[in-house]
Amino acid sequence: MITPILFMAVAAWAIAQILKMVIASAACREFAWRHLSTGGGMPSSHSAMVCACATGVGFSEGVDDPLFALAAVVAFIVMYDASNVRWETGKQAKVLNCMMRAWSGEKPELLEKQLKEMLGHTPFQVAMGALLGIAVGIVGSLIAF
């Protein structure tokens, strides 16, 4: 049986992915199915997932429990990575893709297809994912515990 905390985390991720598709579809004025399975974009599904998990642990075990501390630390690491490391990697991919389009010589086999540019999140996207995750964690905890 799936634990309530894992269910909350997966539910927060799924809700974020659906919201990401809806927001991208509205912005593009066409249905953006691909956003159901991509990283990057608004809101951060990674942030939503880890914050729902940490919130659920906080409700079930208490915020003074070492398990909550672990969940909170993991959440902060994931959110830092999403808004810094992965965001910068996406910017580097844009530059490399531009360089490869301009390169008139033989392209290395590794760079035959474009690098994925939408990898990380802006701090706002991470914050919105975190708020979504906390909300899902609170609602799920009120139901489960």
Side-chain angles (χ1 to χ4, degrees), residues 40 72 75 79 83 89 133:
M79 291 186 291
S83 66
T89 303

Side-chain angles (χ1 to χ4, degrees), residues 68-86:
F68 173 74
L70 177 64
V73 167
V74 168
F76 284 115
I77 290 169
V78 168
M79 291 186 291
Y80 176 85
D81 178 70
S83 66
N84 289 289
V85 178
R86 287 177 43 234

Side-chain angles (χ1 to χ4, degrees), residues 5 53-54 56-58 60-74:
I5 295 170
C53 180
V57 170
S60 75
E61 305 302 318
V63 294
D64 59 343
D65 191 88
L67 191 57
F68 173 74
L70 177 64
V73 167
V74 168

Side-chain angles (χ1 to χ4, degrees), residues 30-131:
E30 64 181 48
F31 218 64
W33 285 103
R34 70 181 181 89
H35 286 276
L36 277 176
S37 63
T38 61
M42 169 70 170
S44 166
S45 55
H46 291 91
S47 298
M49 182 180 235
V50 295
C51 286
C53 180
T55 302
V57 170
F59 267 88
S60 75
E61 305 302 318
V63 294
D64 59 343
D65 191 88
L67 191 57
F68 173 74
L70 177 64
V73 167
V74 168
F76 284 115
I77 290 169
V78 168
M79 291 186 291
Y80 176 85
D81 178 70
S83 66
N84 289 289
V85 178
R86 287 177 43 234
W87 182 253
E88 291 299 320
T89 303
K91 288 177 11 184
Q92 290 173 359
K94 285 180 187 177
V95 171
L96 289 171
N97 285 335
C98 181
M99 290 170 58
M100 292 311 298
R101 282 190 297 274
W103 195 4
S104 60
E106 178 104 10
K107 291 183 184 179
E109 186 177 311
L110 176 66
L111 298 174
E112 284 183 0
K113 69 180 216 191
Q114 282 202 334
L115 298 171
K116 185 176 175 185
E117 296 177 5
M118 196 164 129
L119 296 173
H121 299 279
T122 65
F124 181 73
Q125 293 168 341
V126 169
M128 291 300 101
L131 289 175

